């Protein structure tokens, strides 16, 4: 049986797999920390996330498997960085999109509240 690698998959499947790598708040937080541009030690990531080492290790493994981060051992410490600078761009764009979505939702909610107040004022008493 031949191996079914990303090279043989439709682009939309490969993209979906990329988003699977992002599909957890801890992994997004780790990527945001790494988006600062500096290499970050596992010790610093543990302090930032408050996770147990085994849980952080699992999330870092997912991020490595999806080619979002790379690791480098230096003496007894392991440091992580983004595999590609565009990962930081993706985080920034997703943040901007989320702000836009929330603003639209807030405007719709405010409009709904105004309409409800207007309807209440028109009711006979």
């Amino acid at each position: 049986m031949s191996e079914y690698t990303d090279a043989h998959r439709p682009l939309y499947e490969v993209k979906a797999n990329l988003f699977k790598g992002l599909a957890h708040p801890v992994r997004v937080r780790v990527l945001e920390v790494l988006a600062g541009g500096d290499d970050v030690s596992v010790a610093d990531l543990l302090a930032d996330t408050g996770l147990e080492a085994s849980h952080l290790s699992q999330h870092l493994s997912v991020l490595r498997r999806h080619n979002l981060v790379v690791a480098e051992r230096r003496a007894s410490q392991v440091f992580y960085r983004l595999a590609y600078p565009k990962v930081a761009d993706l985080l920034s764009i997703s943040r901007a999109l989320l702000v836009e979505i929330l603003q639209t939702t807030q405007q719709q909610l405010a409009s709904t509240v105004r309409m409800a107040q207007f309807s209440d004022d028109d009711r006979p008493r």
Side-chain angles (χ1 to χ4, degrees):
M1 182 170 149
S2 67
E3 188 162 320
Y4 195 58
T5 64
D6 281 349
H8 297 96
R9 294 179 187 212
L11 184 57
Y12 60 85
E13 285 184 18
V14 177
K15 284 182 184 179
N17 283 329
L18 170 68
F19 285 108
K20 286 178 186 177
L22 299 167
H24 194 281
V26 168
R27 293 194 291 268
V28 172
R29 178 62 190 148
V30 167
L31 292 173
E32 287 176 341
V33 170
L34 298 177
D38 296 328
D39 292 1
V40 179
S41 71
V42 170
D44 289 341
L45 290 172
L46 285 168
D48 187 273
T49 61
L51 291 175
E52 293 180 21
S54 62
H55 290 136
L56 179 60
S57 178
Q58 290 172 359
H59 288 294
L60 290 170
S61 175
V62 171
L63 291 171
R64 284 192 314 271
R65 186 171 47 247
H66 291 283
N67 299 308
L68 294 167
V69 300
V70 293
E72 179 183 338
R73 179 172 290 284
R74 297 181 199 153
S76 63
Q77 291 190 2
V78 178
F79 290 82
Y80 280 84
R81 69 178 177 276
L82 296 179
Y84 302 95
K86 290 199 181 285
V87 174
D89 296 342
L90 179 62
L91 293 170
S92 178
I93 290 168
S94 65
R95 185 179 305 114
L97 174 61
L98 181 57
V99 166
E100 194 172 324
I101 290 169
L102 291 173
Q103 287 173 339
T104 300
T105 302
Q106 184 179 25
Q107 291 168 355
Q108 291 170 339
L109 180 60
S111 175
T112 301
V113 168
R114 282 193 303 275
M115 288 174 39
Q117 289 171 343
F118 180 73
S119 296
D120 289 345
D121 292 344
D122 286 348
R123 281 195 305 212
R125 300 189 193 247

PDB file of all heavy atoms in Angstrom, residues 104-124:
ATOM      1  N   THR A 104     -19.075  43.346  14.589  1.00  0.00           N
ATOM      2  CA  THR A 104     -20.328  43.157  13.846  1.00  0.00           C
ATOM      3  C   THR A 104     -21.394  42.559  14.743  1.00  0.00           C
ATOM      4  O   THR A 104     -22.548  43.017  14.749  1.00  0.00           O
ATOM      5  CB  THR A 104     -20.088  42.248  12.620  1.00  0.00           C
ATOM      6  OG1 THR A 104     -19.127  42.872  11.774  1.00  0.00           O
ATOM      7  CG2 THR A 104     -21.371  42.005  11.849  1.00  0.00           C
ATOM      8  N   THR A 105     -21.032  41.575  15.533  1.00  0.00           N
ATOM      9  CA  THR A 105     -21.985  40.959  16.447  1.00  0.00           C
ATOM     10  C   THR A 105     -22.483  41.965  17.467  1.00  0.00           C
ATOM     11  O   THR A 105     -23.680  42.015  17.777  1.00  0.00           O
ATOM     12  CB  THR A 105     -21.326  39.748  17.156  1.00  0.00           C
ATOM     13  OG1 THR A 105     -20.893  38.824  16.157  1.00  0.00           O
ATOM     14  CG2 THR A 105     -22.283  39.063  18.101  1.00  0.00           C
ATOM     15  N   GLN A 106     -21.570  42.786  17.985  1.00  0.00           N
ATOM     16  CA  GLN A 106     -21.953  43.807  18.960  1.00  0.00           C
ATOM     17  C   GLN A 106     -22.917  44.814  18.330  1.00  0.00           C
ATOM     18  O   GLN A 106     -23.909  45.207  18.946  1.00  0.00           O
ATOM     19  CB  GLN A 106     -20.710  44.518  19.485  1.00  0.00           C
ATOM     20  CG  GLN A 106     -20.990  45.531  20.576  1.00  0.00           C
ATOM     21  CD  GLN A 106     -19.715  46.183  21.069  1.00  0.00           C
ATOM     22  OE1 GLN A 106     -18.723  46.258  20.355  1.00  0.00           O
ATOM     23  NE2 GLN A 106     -19.744  46.666  22.292  1.00  0.00           N
ATOM     24  N   GLN A 107     -22.661  45.214  17.089  1.00  0.00           N
ATOM     25  CA  GLN A 107     -23.551  46.146  16.398  1.00  0.00           C
ATOM     26  C   GLN A 107     -24.926  45.521  16.170  1.00  0.00           C
ATOM     27  O   GLN A 107     -25.952  46.179  16.353  1.00  0.00           O
ATOM     28  CB  GLN A 107     -22.940  46.575  15.064  1.00  0.00           C
ATOM     29  CG  GLN A 107     -21.718  47.454  15.207  1.00  0.00           C
ATOM     30  CD  GLN A 107     -20.966  47.618  13.904  1.00  0.00           C
ATOM     31  OE1 GLN A 107     -21.285  47.016  12.890  1.00  0.00           O
ATOM     32  NE2 GLN A 107     -19.905  48.428  13.934  1.00  0.00           N
ATOM     33  N   GLN A 108     -24.945  44.254  15.791  1.00  0.00           N
ATOM     34  CA  GLN A 108     -26.225  43.570  15.587  1.00  0.00           C
ATOM     35  C   GLN A 108     -26.999  43.460  16.889  1.00  0.00           C
ATOM     36  O   GLN A 108     -28.215  43.652  16.915  1.00  0.00           O
ATOM     37  CB  GLN A 108     -25.991  42.186  14.980  1.00  0.00           C
ATOM     38  CG  GLN A 108     -25.495  42.225  13.558  1.00  0.00           C
ATOM     39  CD  GLN A 108     -25.036  40.867  13.049  1.00  0.00           C
ATOM     40  OE1 GLN A 108     -24.712  39.967  13.819  1.00  0.00           O
ATOM     41  NE2 GLN A 108     -24.981  40.726  11.727  1.00  0.00           N
ATOM     42  N   LEU A 109     -26.313  43.164  17.968  1.00  0.00           N
ATOM     43  CA  LEU A 109     -26.959  43.069  19.268  1.00  0.00           C
ATOM     44  C   LEU A 109     -27.511  44.421  19.698  1.00  0.00           C
ATOM     45  O   LEU A 109     -28.651  44.512  20.162  1.00  0.00           O
ATOM     46  CB  LEU A 109     -25.968  42.541  20.316  1.00  0.00           C
ATOM     47  CG  LEU A 109     -26.491  42.395  21.731  1.00  0.00           C
ATOM     48  CD1 LEU A 109     -27.682  41.429  21.774  1.00  0.00           C
ATOM     49  CD2 LEU A 109     -25.390  41.923  22.662  1.00  0.00           C
ATOM     50  N   ALA A 110     -26.730  45.472  19.525  1.00  0.00           N
ATOM     51  CA  ALA A 110     -27.192  46.813  19.881  1.00  0.00           C
ATOM     52  C   ALA A 110     -28.411  47.197  19.052  1.00  0.00           C
ATOM     53  O   ALA A 110     -29.370  47.771  19.576  1.00  0.00           O
ATOM     54  CB  ALA A 110     -26.061  47.828  19.686  1.00  0.00           C
ATOM     55  N   SER A 111     -28.413  46.856  17.782  1.00  0.00           N
ATOM     56  CA  SER A 111     -29.552  47.142  16.912  1.00  0.00           C
ATOM     57  C   SER A 111     -30.788  46.379  17.378  1.00  0.00           C
ATOM     58  O   SER A 111     -31.894  46.924  17.403  1.00  0.00           O
ATOM     59  CB  SER A 111     -29.205  46.771  15.469  1.00  0.00           C
ATOM     60  OG  SER A 111     -30.316  46.932  14.635  1.00  0.00           O
ATOM     61  N   THR A 112     -30.606  45.131  17.750  1.00  0.00           N
ATOM     62  CA  THR A 112     -31.714  44.311  18.236  1.00  0.00           C
ATOM     63  C   THR A 112     -32.285  44.887  19.521  1.00  0.00           C
ATOM     64  O   THR A 112     -33.509  44.948  19.699  1.00  0.00           O
ATOM     65  CB  THR A 112     -31.250  42.860  18.459  1.00  0.00           C
ATOM     66  OG1 THR A 112     -30.757  42.353  17.220  1.00  0.00           O
ATOM     67  CG2 THR A 112     -32.376  41.979  18.973  1.00  0.00           C
ATOM     68  N   VAL A 113     -31.429  45.344  20.418  1.00  0.00           N
ATOM     69  CA  VAL A 113     -31.887  45.941  21.682  1.00  0.00           C
ATOM     70  C   VAL A 113     -32.653  47.224  21.400  1.00  0.00           C
ATOM     71  O   VAL A 113     -33.720  47.459  21.988  1.00  0.00           O
ATOM     72  CB  VAL A 113     -30.688  46.188  22.628  1.00  0.00           C
ATOM     73  CG1 VAL A 113     -31.080  47.059  23.811  1.00  0.00           C
ATOM     74  CG2 VAL A 113     -30.108  44.862  23.097  1.00  0.00           C
ATOM     75  N   ARG A 114     -32.149  48.059  20.486  1.00  0.00           N
ATOM     76  CA  ARG A 114     -32.864  49.306  20.140  1.00  0.00           C
ATOM     77  C   ARG A 114     -34.235  49.000  19.548  1.00  0.00           C
ATOM     78  O   ARG A 114     -35.223  49.656  19.869  1.00  0.00           O
ATOM     79  CB  ARG A 114     -32.031  50.134  19.159  1.00  0.00           C
ATOM     80  CG  ARG A 114     -30.893  50.886  19.791  1.00  0.00           C
ATOM     81  CD  ARG A 114     -30.294  51.928  18.860  1.00  0.00           C
ATOM     82  NE  ARG A 114     -29.815  51.374  17.604  1.00  0.00           N
ATOM     83  CZ  ARG A 114     -28.617  50.827  17.414  1.00  0.00           C
ATOM     84  NH1 ARG A 114     -27.762  50.775  18.414  1.00  0.00           N
ATOM     85  NH2 ARG A 114     -28.259  50.368  16.247  1.00  0.00           N
ATOM     86  N   MET A 115     -34.296  47.983  18.678  1.00  0.00           N
ATOM     87  CA  MET A 115     -35.579  47.624  18.065  1.00  0.00           C
ATOM     88  C   MET A 115     -36.548  47.112  19.130  1.00  0.00           C
ATOM     89  O   MET A 115     -37.732  47.420  19.091  1.00  0.00           O
ATOM     90  CB  MET A 115     -35.367  46.573  16.970  1.00  0.00           C
ATOM     91  CG  MET A 115     -34.703  47.152  15.736  1.00  0.00           C
ATOM     92  SD  MET A 115     -34.245  45.944  14.455  1.00  0.00           S
ATOM     93  CE  MET A 115     -35.548  44.802  14.412  1.00  0.00           C
ATOM     94  N   ALA A 116     -36.059  46.349  20.082  1.00  0.00           N
ATOM     95  CA  ALA A 116     -36.908  45.833  21.154  1.00  0.00           C
ATOM     96  C   ALA A 116     -37.413  46.973  22.018  1.00  0.00           C
ATOM     97  O   ALA A 116     -38.586  46.986  22.418  1.00  0.00           O
ATOM     98  CB  ALA A 116     -36.148  44.820  21.991  1.00  0.00           C
ATOM     99  N   GLN A 117     -36.573  47.954  22.310  1.00  0.00           N
ATOM    100  CA  GLN A 117     -36.988  49.099  23.112  1.00  0.00           C
ATOM    101  C   GLN A 117     -38.029  49.915  22.362  1.00  0.00           C
ATOM    102  O   GLN A 117     -39.004  50.380  22.940  1.00  0.00           O
ATOM    103  CB  GLN A 117     -35.786  49.966  23.472  1.00  0.00           C
ATOM    104  CG  GLN A 117     -34.861  49.330  24.469  1.00  0.00           C
ATOM    105  CD  GLN A 117     -33.572  50.103  24.647  1.00  0.00           C
ATOM    106  OE1 GLN A 117     -33.208  50.944  23.823  1.00  0.00           O
ATOM    107  NE2 GLN A 117     -32.862  49.796  25.719  1.00  0.00           N
ATOM    108  N   PHE A 118     -37.841  50.085  21.044  1.00  0.00           N
ATOM    109  CA  PHE A 118     -38.785  50.821  20.221  1.00  0.00           C
ATOM    110  C   PHE A 118     -40.137  50.110  20.230  1.00  0.00           C
ATOM    111  O   PHE A 118     -41.179  50.739  20.376  1.00  0.00           O
ATOM    112  CB  PHE A 118     -38.242  50.952  18.787  1.00  0.00           C
ATOM    113  CG  PHE A 118     -39.144  51.705  17.867  1.00  0.00           C
ATOM    114  CD1 PHE A 118     -39.282  53.080  17.983  1.00  0.00           C
ATOM    115  CD2 PHE A 118     -39.870  51.047  16.878  1.00  0.00           C
ATOM    116  CE1 PHE A 118     -40.122  53.784  17.132  1.00  0.00           C
ATOM    117  CE2 PHE A 118     -40.703  51.731  16.035  1.00  0.00           C
ATOM    118  CZ  PHE A 118     -40.830  53.112  16.155  1.00  0.00           C
ATOM    119  N   SER A 119     -40.129  48.801  20.097  1.00  0.00           N
ATOM    120  CA  SER A 119     -41.365  48.014  20.105  1.00  0.00           C
ATOM    121  C   SER A 119     -42.050  48.116  21.450  1.00  0.00           C
ATOM    122  O   SER A 119     -43.289  48.217  21.529  1.00  0.00           O
ATOM    123  CB  SER A 119     -41.080  46.551  19.790  1.00  0.00           C
ATOM    124  OG  SER A 119     -40.568  46.430  18.482  1.00  0.00           O
ATOM    125  N   ASP A 120     -41.291  48.113  22.528  1.00  0.00           N
ATOM    126  CA  ASP A 120     -41.868  48.234  23.864  1.00  0.00           C
ATOM    127  C   ASP A 120     -42.526  49.587  24.042  1.00  0.00           C
ATOM    128  O   ASP A 120     -43.575  49.714  24.679  1.00  0.00           O
ATOM    129  CB  ASP A 120     -40.804  48.033  24.944  1.00  0.00           C
ATOM    130  CG  ASP A 120     -40.334  46.591  25.038  1.00  0.00           C
ATOM    131  OD1 ASP A 120     -41.020  45.709  24.486  1.00  0.00           O
ATOM    132  OD2 ASP A 120     -39.280  46.354  25.662  1.00  0.00           O
ATOM    133  N   ASP A 121     -41.937  50.644  23.479  1.00  0.00           N
ATOM    134  CA  ASP A 121     -42.488  51.986  23.593  1.00  0.00           C
ATOM    135  C   ASP A 121     -43.790  52.134  22.814  1.00  0.00           C
ATOM    136  O   ASP A 121     -44.629  52.956  23.148  1.00  0.00           O
ATOM    137  CB  ASP A 121     -41.479  53.025  23.089  1.00  0.00           C
ATOM    138  CG  ASP A 121     -40.261  53.148  23.988  1.00  0.00           C
ATOM    139  OD1 ASP A 121     -40.323  52.671  25.148  1.00  0.00           O
ATOM    140  OD2 ASP A 121     -39.236  53.688  23.522  1.00  0.00           O
ATOM    141  N   ASP A 122     -43.966  51.346  21.753  1.00  0.00           N
ATOM    142  CA  ASP A 122     -45.159  51.441  20.908  1.00  0.00           C
ATOM    143  C   ASP A 122     -46.338  50.648  21.444  1.00  0.00           C
ATOM    144  O   ASP A 122     -47.443  50.800  20.951  1.00  0.00           O
ATOM    145  CB  ASP A 122     -44.844  50.927  19.491  1.00  0.00           C
ATOM    146  CG  ASP A 122     -43.994  51.937  18.712  1.00  0.00           C
ATOM    147  OD1 ASP A 122     -43.866  53.087  19.174  1.00  0.00           O
ATOM    148  OD2 ASP A 122     -43.468  51.553  17.654  1.00  0.00           O
ATOM    149  N   ARG A 123     -46.110  49.778  22.421  1.00  0.00           N
ATOM    150  CA  ARG A 123     -47.207  48.949  22.928  1.00  0.00           C
ATOM    151  C   ARG A 123     -48.186  49.797  23.701  1.00  0.00           C
ATOM    152  O   ARG A 123     -47.797  50.696  24.463  1.00  0.00           O
ATOM    153  CB  ARG A 123     -46.661  47.851  23.849  1.00  0.00           C
ATOM    154  CG  ARG A 123     -46.077  46.706  23.102  1.00  0.00           C
ATOM    155  CD  ARG A 123     -45.908  45.540  23.996  1.00  0.00           C
ATOM    156  NE  ARG A 123     -45.091  45.926  25.175  1.00  0.00           N
ATOM    157  CZ  ARG A 123     -44.291  45.117  25.804  1.00  0.00           C
ATOM    158  NH1 ARG A 123     -44.184  43.864  25.448  1.00  0.00           N
ATOM    159  NH2 ARG A 123     -43.588  45.525  26.825  1.00  0.00           N
ATOM    160  N   PRO A 124     -49.470  49.496  23.523  1.00  0.00           N
ATOM    161  CA  PRO A 124     -50.470  50.234  24.314  1.00  0.00           C
ATOM    162  C   PRO A 124     -50.331  49.870  25.793  1.00  0.00           C
ATOM    163  O   PRO A 124     -50.008  48.740  26.140  1.00  0.00           O
ATOM    164  CB  PRO A 124     -51.806  49.748  23.769  1.00  0.00           C
ATOM    165  CG  PRO A 124     -51.515  48.666  22.784  1.00  0.00           C
ATOM    166  CD  PRO A 124     -50.044  48.569  22.611  1.00  0.00           C
TER     167      PRO A 124
END
